[in-house]
């Protein structure tokens, strides 16, 4: 790879990063060598860079096929913020604007052109493309969201099937297929349908280590739990619902509770959807309540929480949708609420499909989704095994791993299960295998003569649910396989044989009688300090003045680097990840000025608050809040003066109480309410906020409970 020493320089110059993520460098080199490529890289993994950087380094125009207007506009805006010549042609562009853009393309001023598949293959556009190829040269076709080409993918689009005509028309132009998710079957279909010629296939790990995965049962208190989650989350939130009606109802309830939430679904007008999406992307609204119509191609990096209020239709969609959290690699959460009434809704929708094969596949995919939600194994193990990636388990960042449940040795039961699969010649699904083990007298068993098998009835000591739990765990651990053709036939593999020969033991998680209550983990990394907020304010001002999303100026991760490094000049500023040549020139002085102003104010500020020094670590932002609180200002007044949310101020005061600072809680929570909360705490003990709220009722807020609880805990210690 040393024959391309200039790649890192190009990366820093155009995009501001010093090094590549694995396997970006290898992919880019193969792109520069005009290889056909298939790149499977999860959301937030840097997939776009794999075609954007080669496009800048190769002669000619790179044509990017993209299915959504929002996706095109977002990527083009991001490229232009880095000083890169890119444009798009779609239905949002007027004929006059289109002609201007086409002229810029023909004059060689554009390096990347984003276009929808319908326009690309239209009778009017193909002659223009021929002209570009003849005069300028087409360096490559990048087919983004390539899973759309496959009927086995989760978002099939028939127009993508016509992409193979590009290979026939321009046989010597390299073609790159890129997508965030694809099973082995979908990968093979993409290669076939795009006509890729001996492509180099790169499948990056699907493991998003920064995401915390959790599943909770959907109780009557689900809305109260959701409110608590939103109020304790710093950053943007996406909430997915199954139906338009649910989206509207939930958005209305959140607005009624003074949460800035917007709806998004296909039933809204184009202008309303576009307006709501823009408000969300530009941080003018923090919560988006949406159907799956929202999200594809939305490159908002600072989503900190994705909630599936209803179960998803399949595991691939769930992975994509939940993966919209934490694209900037910062810690984020993904929560799914499981309700069997929602499952019934999806089953009804599946029954409306007219194609029997489609119905079978959809039912199998839903079963896999339920298996994930009910699963007691590590969530990552289940997700990654779906995409054919083995994971050892115990990720330490999901509910099943953070609330470990007892393991039991089920090797004997596993041997029975796998032996039954073998006796049935690997031709049946899980339900039939379990029926045989439990000695059922179904017509199917009798017709097949399976009541004569040696494994018939040897599993009567276990319940249906226990055998199903074992079967799921064997699949998740990679000790058994399942066809994805809708029939879900169980197949043995080399690991299955090791178990059957007593060469490998099998342990499974035994769920407790009651699901453990999630305890919110304290994360100091997410406690924004005053400098970070000042930098965010500057970023928002610059973004609003240029009518672009704030993250296109700089991402949160780059702002946090600024707070850590505190660069004093442009040379130091240029070394930060995410600061390229163009952004250094455009924004460097402004951000350095804010940082240096903060540093000048910091020392006297520390002296001003020196009377508060204790063994506890108190941040600058908490000190500022405390000073205003001592002046008698209300939470709302402090929030307004500091340009922060009220929930942030409550958190400051709550943490100050926990750090034994003399916060006057009587100014915030009425005394009679304090007494009642303290009585409930004495009864329930140190539990999560939700059970306390359920006990007290709607007249008590989470903020009031949090403050009193911290005071109570401090006294108890």
């Amino acid at each position: 790879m040393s024959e391309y020493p200039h790649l890192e320089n190009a990366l820093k110059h155009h995009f501001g990063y010093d090094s590549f993520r694995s396997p970006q460098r290898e992919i880019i080199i193969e792109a520069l060598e005009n290889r056909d490529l298939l790149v499977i890289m999860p959301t937030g993994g840097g997939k776009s860079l794999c075609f954007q950087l080669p496009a800048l380094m190769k002669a000619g125009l790179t044509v990017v096929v993209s299915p959504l207007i929002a996706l095109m506009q977002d990527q083009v805006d991001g490229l232009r913020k880095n000083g890169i010549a890119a444009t798009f042609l779609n239905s949002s562009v007027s004929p006059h604007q289109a002609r201007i853009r086409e002229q810029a393309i023909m004059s060689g001023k554009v390096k990347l052109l984003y276009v929808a598949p319908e326009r690309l293959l239209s009778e009017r556009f193909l002659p223009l493309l021929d002209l570009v190829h003849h005069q300028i040269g087409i360096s490559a076709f990048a087919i983004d969201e390539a899973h759309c080409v496959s009927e086995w993918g989760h978002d099939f689009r028939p127009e993508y099937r016509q992409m193979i005509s590009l290979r026939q028309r321009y046989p010597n132009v390299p073609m790159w297929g890129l997508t965030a998710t694809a099973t082995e079957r979908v990968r093979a279909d993409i290669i076939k349908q795009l006509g890729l010629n001996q492509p180099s296939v790169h499948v990056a790990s699907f493991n998003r280590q920064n995401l915390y995965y959790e599943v909770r049962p959907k109780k009557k208190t689900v809305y109260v739990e959701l409110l608590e989650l939103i109020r304790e989350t710093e950053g943007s939130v996406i909430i997915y619902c199954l139906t338009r009606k649910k989206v509207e109802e939930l958005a209305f309830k959140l607005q009624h509770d003074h949460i800035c939430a917007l709806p998004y679904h296909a039933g809204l007008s184009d202008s309303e959807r576009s307006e709501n999406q823009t408000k969300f992307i530009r941080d003018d609204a923090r919560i988006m309540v949406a159907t799956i119509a929202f999200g594809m191609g939305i490159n908002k990096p600072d989503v900190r929480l994705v909630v599936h209020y209803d179960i998803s239709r399949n595991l691939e969609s769930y992975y994509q949708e939940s993966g919209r959290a934490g694209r900037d690699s910062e810690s984020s959460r993904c929560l799914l609420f499981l309700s069997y009434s929602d499952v019934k809704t999806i089953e009804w929708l599946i029954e409306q499909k007219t194609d029997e094969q489609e119905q079978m596949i959809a039912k199998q995919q839903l079963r896999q989704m339920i298996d994930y939600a009910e699963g007691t194994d590590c969530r990552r193990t289940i997700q990654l095994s779906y995409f054919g990636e083995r994971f050892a388990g115990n990720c330490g960042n999901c509910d099943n791993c953070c609330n470990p449940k007892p393991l039991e040795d089920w090797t004997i039961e596993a041997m029975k299960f796998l032996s039954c699969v073998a006796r049935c010649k690997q031709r049946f699904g899980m339900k039939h295998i379990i029926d045989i083990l439990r000695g059922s007298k179904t017509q199917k068993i009798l017709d097949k003569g399976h009541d004569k098998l040696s494994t018939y009835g040897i599993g009567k000591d276990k319940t249906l649910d226990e055998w199903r739990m074992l079967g799921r765990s064997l699949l998740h651990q990679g000790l058994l396989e399942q066809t994805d053709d809708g029939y879900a036939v169980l197949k043995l593999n080399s690991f299955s044989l090791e178990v059957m020969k007593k060469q490998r033991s099998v342990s499974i998680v035994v769920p407790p009688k009651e699901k453990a209550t999630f305890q919110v983990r304290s994360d100091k990394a997410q406690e924004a300090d005053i400098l970070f907020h000042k930098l965010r304010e500057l970023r928002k001002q610059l973004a609003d003045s240029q009518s672009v999303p704030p993250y296109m100026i700089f991402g949160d991760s780059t702002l946090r680097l600024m707070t850590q490094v505190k660069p004093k000049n442009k040379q130091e500023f240029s070394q930060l990840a995410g600061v390229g040549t163009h952004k250094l020139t455009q924004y460097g002085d402004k951000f350095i000025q804010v940082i240096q102003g903060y540093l000048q104010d910091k020392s006297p500020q520390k002296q001003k608050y020196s009377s508060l020094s204790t063994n506890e670590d108190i941040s600058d932002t908490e000190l500022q809040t405390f000073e205003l609180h001592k002046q008698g200002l209300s939470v709302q007044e402090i929030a307004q003066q500091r340009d922060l949310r009220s929930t942030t101020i409550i958190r400051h005061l709550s943490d100050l109480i926990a750090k034994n600072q003399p916060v006057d809680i009587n100014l915030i929570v009425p005394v009679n309410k304090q007494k009642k909360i303290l009585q409930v705490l004495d009864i329930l003990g140190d539990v999560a906020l939700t059970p306390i709220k359920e006990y007290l009722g709607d007249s008590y807020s989470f903020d009031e409970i949090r403050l009193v609880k911290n005071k109570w805990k401090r006294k108890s210690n």
Side-chain angles (χ1 to χ4, degrees):
M1 298 297 177
S2 59
E3 65 270 25
Y4 289 91
H6 58 293
L7 280 183
E8 277 73 17
N9 292 336
L11 177 68
K12 180 63 178 175
H13 172 73
H14 292 296
F15 297 98
Y17 298 105
D18 296 309
S19 59
F20 293 99
R21 300 182 193 176
S22 177
Q24 286 177 329
R25 197 178 201 278
E26 185 182 347
I27 293 168
I28 289 166
I29 287 173
E30 291 181 339
L32 293 172
E33 293 174 346
N34 295 323
R35 294 276 311 265
D36 276 5
L37 299 171
L38 176 58
V39 178
I40 317 295
M41 190 176 285
T43 302
K47 174 167 53 78
S48 298
L49 186 76
C50 293
F51 64 82
Q52 290 173 349
L53 189 59
L56 300 175
M57 300 178 71
K58 294 179 72 174
L61 177 75
T62 294
V63 179
V64 184
V65 180
S66 182
L68 292 176
I69 289 175
L71 186 152
M72 295 184 211
Q73 188 160 344
D74 195 68
Q75 291 216 356
V76 168
D77 286 347
L79 288 165
R80 287 174 176 170
K81 279 287 135 199
N82 282 310
I84 295 167
T87 193
F88 60 83
L89 290 170
N90 57 39
S91 58
S92 71
V93 179
S94 70
H96 175 66
Q97 289 174 320
R99 282 193 297 273
I100 293 172
R101 295 183 184 192
E102 288 169 7
Q103 289 168 6
I105 292 165
M106 293 308 303
S107 63
K109 294 178 181 177
V110 175
K111 293 299 293 180
L112 286 121
L113 168 65
Y114 285 74
V115 64
E118 302 90 340
R119 177 180 288 253
L120 178 67
L121 299 172
S122 67
E123 291 182 5
R124 182 191 176 281
F125 195 79
L126 282 173
L128 172 68
L129 210 55
D130 289 340
L131 198 58
V132 171
H133 186 47
H134 178 69
Q135 294 187 9
I136 307 296
I138 299 175
S139 60
F141 289 105
I143 315 298
D144 204 6
E145 309 294 345
H147 61 272
C148 294
V149 80
S150 175
E151 288 181 305
W152 301 97
H154 66 280
D155 191 29
F156 172 58
R157 303 197 176 206
E159 61 271 16
Y160 260 60
R161 288 284 204 189
Q162 303 167 38
M163 289 294 104
I164 196 168
S165 64
L166 291 174
R167 172 43 46 90
Q168 296 158 354
R169 194 177 187 106
Y170 310 104
N172 297 321
V173 176
M175 188 170 289
W176 310 328
L178 306 104
T179 182
T181 56
T183 60
E184 199 167 323
R185 183 170 195 162
V186 172
R187 292 170 212 164
D189 207 18
I190 291 172
I191 292 170
K192 178 185 175 183
Q193 297 299 333
L194 293 181
L196 300 184
N197 182 23
Q198 295 182 319
S200 179
V201 180
H202 294 269
V203 183
S205 173
F206 288 90
N207 185 8
R208 298 281 305 284
Q209 296 179 5
N210 62 310
L211 301 185
Y212 178 89
Y213 293 100
E214 178 187 3
V215 178
R216 295 188 192 180
K218 195 185 216 179
K219 303 176 183 175
K220 291 181 180 179
T221 57
V222 60
Y223 180 71
V224 176
E225 290 183 58
L226 180 66
L227 271 181
E228 182 180 356
L229 279 162
I230 289 172
R231 284 170 171 156
E232 63 192 22
T233 297
E234 287 279 353
S236 300
V237 179
I238 300 175
I239 304 167
Y240 283 108
C241 300
L242 265 178
T243 64
R244 300 175 186 180
K245 182 182 177 185
K246 186 79 69 68
V247 166
E248 292 287 354
E249 289 174 353
L250 192 54
F252 177 80
K253 286 179 75 173
L254 289 170
Q255 290 165 2
H256 181 73
D257 283 312
H258 310 293
I259 303 289
C260 188
L262 296 174
Y264 189 104
H265 57 73
L268 299 175
S269 66
D270 289 347
S271 60
E272 191 171 359
R273 279 203 310 274
S274 177
E275 183 182 349
N276 288 356
Q277 179 173 299
T278 299
K279 285 180 179 178
F280 179 69
I281 287 175
R282 294 187 182 172
D283 290 348
D284 294 323
R286 195 165 72 93
I287 315 295
M288 182 65 85
V289 187
T291 60
I292 58 171
F294 177 79
M296 187 175 175
I298 303 303
N299 187 30
K300 186 168 173 56
D302 57 348
V303 174
R304 293 288 160 254
L305 172 66
V306 172
V307 176
H308 278 76
Y309 204 70
D310 309 316
I311 193 170
S312 191
R313 289 173 170 81
N314 57 67
L315 200 49
E316 195 163 344
S317 294
Y318 176 73
Y319 179 87
Q320 280 267 32
E321 291 149 14
S322 62
R324 285 163 192 145
R327 291 174 64 113
D328 55 4
S329 299
E330 298 287 324
S331 297
S332 304
R333 291 171 64 182
C334 309
L335 173 64
L336 166 68
F337 285 108
L338 174 61
S339 163
Y340 292 98
S341 63
D342 296 335
V343 171
K344 292 295 181 187
T345 301
I346 297 176
E347 287 175 340
W348 182 85
L349 292 170
I350 291 172
E351 292 296 334
Q352 308 314 302
K353 292 179 180 288
T354 53
D355 188 292
E356 189 176 338
Q357 178 73 2
E358 279 186 31
Q359 272 196 23
M360 288 176 60
I361 292 169
K363 285 177 180 177
Q364 180 181 351
Q365 290 175 334
L366 176 59
R367 182 70 251 171
Q368 290 169 323
M369 189 65 222
I370 297 168
D371 286 350
Y372 169 81
E374 293 180 337
T376 51
D377 296 302
C378 165
R379 301 281 178 206
R380 275 176 175 72
T381 297
I382 303 173
Q383 287 182 11
L384 300 182
S385 69
Y386 178 82
F387 294 109
E389 182 177 346
R390 287 187 63 79
F391 184 73
N394 194 21
C395 69
N397 203 23
C398 74
D399 54 346
N400 285 342
C401 291
C402 290
N403 300 300
K405 304 162 186 72
L407 281 171
E408 284 188 9
D409 188 325
W410 277 49
T411 305
I412 299 299
E413 288 80 1
M415 291 171 67
K416 291 179 181 178
F417 191 102
L418 296 172
S419 178
C420 191
V421 173
R423 295 284 186 279
C424 292
K425 299 182 180 178
Q426 305 178 62
R427 292 178 181 171
F428 297 89
M430 190 178 296
K431 184 180 183 301
H432 187 68
I433 298 299
I434 294 173
D435 284 345
I436 294 171
L437 290 167
R438 298 190 70 239
S440 299
K441 297 186 182 297
T442 66
Q443 194 61 48
K444 187 175 180 181
I445 286 176
L446 299 175
D447 289 346
K448 300 288 182 184
H450 287 169
D451 55 330
K452 307 293 192 297
L453 293 175
S454 59
T455 51
Y456 181 77
I458 62 172
K460 291 181 178 179
D461 57 323
K462 300 293 181 188
T463 66
L464 171 66
D465 287 340
E466 285 174 325
W467 280 117
R468 187 178 289 141
M469 178 178 64
L470 172 63
R472 280 201 299 259
S473 191
L474 290 171
L475 288 167
H476 298 158
Q477 293 183 54
L479 306 178
L480 181 66
E481 293 176 5
Q482 190 177 45
T483 61
D484 61 357
D485 54 1
Y487 294 95
V489 174
L490 297 179
K491 299 286 185 182
L492 304 177
N493 59 25
S494 59
F495 299 114
S496 312
L497 300 178
E498 288 179 15
V499 174
M500 294 166 71
K501 293 176 181 177
K502 297 186 179 180
Q503 295 171 352
R504 178 187 287 266
S505 61
V506 177
S507 293
I508 68 168
V509 176
V510 180
K513 293 179 180 177
E514 194 171 322
K515 189 174 178 70
T517 304
F518 175 76
Q519 296 288 337
V520 178
R521 295 168 294 138
S522 175
D523 189 352
K524 282 293 179 184
Q526 292 183 4
E527 182 65 40
D529 62 17
I530 187 163
L531 176 57
F532 182 73
H533 279 290
K534 283 182 177 291
L535 295 173
R536 280 178 63 99
E537 288 166 15
L538 172 60
R539 180 179 67 175
K540 185 73 168 80
Q541 291 167 10
L542 292 169
D544 288 348
S545 69
Q546 298 170 36
S547 298
V548 296
Y551 63 79
M552 284 189 181
I553 306 296
F554 287 118
D556 278 4
S557 54
T558 302
L559 294 190
R560 287 204 170 88
L561 277 175
M562 292 181 198
T563 66
Q564 294 165 18
V565 177
K566 300 180 181 66
K568 297 184 286 294
N569 51 53
K570 277 192 167 183
Q571 173 58 30
E572 292 181 5
F573 194 83
S574 70
Q575 302 303 309
L576 300 175
V579 179
T581 305
H582 186 74
K583 288 188 176 180
L584 174 66
T585 304
Q586 199 170 8
Y587 307 120
D589 289 334
K590 295 181 177 68
F591 281 88
I592 291 168
Q593 185 178 354
V594 169
I595 293 165
Q596 292 309 304
Y598 164 79
L599 290 174
Q600 289 170 11
D601 294 342
K602 187 178 178 185
S603 295
Q605 179 180 310
K606 284 286 187 184
Q607 293 168 8
K608 181 179 178 182
Y609 300 127
S610 60
S611 61
L612 282 172
S613 60
T614 68
N615 292 329
E616 307 270 12
D617 179 30
I618 299 172
S619 67
D620 292 334
T621 190
E622 289 171 346
L623 293 173
Q624 279 210 352
T625 293
F626 187 67
E627 184 64 21
L628 295 171
H629 167 75
K630 286 199 300 181
Q631 295 173 19
L633 272 65
S634 68
V635 169
Q636 290 72 24
E637 289 168 336
I638 298 171
Q640 187 174 5
Q641 187 160 329
R642 297 206 55 206
D643 195 22
L644 298 173
R645 290 194 297 273
S646 295
T647 51
T648 303
I649 303 303
I650 288 289
R651 181 169 291 137
H652 291 169
L653 295 170
S654 180
D655 287 350
L656 285 163
I657 291 171
K659 294 170 183 178
N660 207 26
Q661 298 306 322
V663 172
D664 188 354
I665 198 171
N666 295 332
L667 295 176
I668 314 167
V669 185
V671 175
N672 62 324
K673 281 193 169 185
Q674 290 182 49
K675 289 180 180 178
K676 184 64 176 177
I677 295 169
L678 288 168
Q679 287 173 4
V680 174
L681 284 166
D682 288 336
I683 296 168
L684 298 180
D686 188 7
V687 297
L689 300 183
T690 300
I692 304 171
K693 178 84 164 64
E694 291 171 7
Y695 197 103
L696 289 164
D698 292 338
S699 59
Y700 291 78
S701 71
F702 281 111
D703 292 339
E704 292 170 333
I705 297 167
R706 182 180 284 109
L707 287 162
V708 176
K709 184 184 175 186
N710 272 11
K711 180 181 176 183
W712 174 81
K713 283 174 69 175
R714 195 75 204 190
K715 284 185 176 179
S716 300
N717 294 336

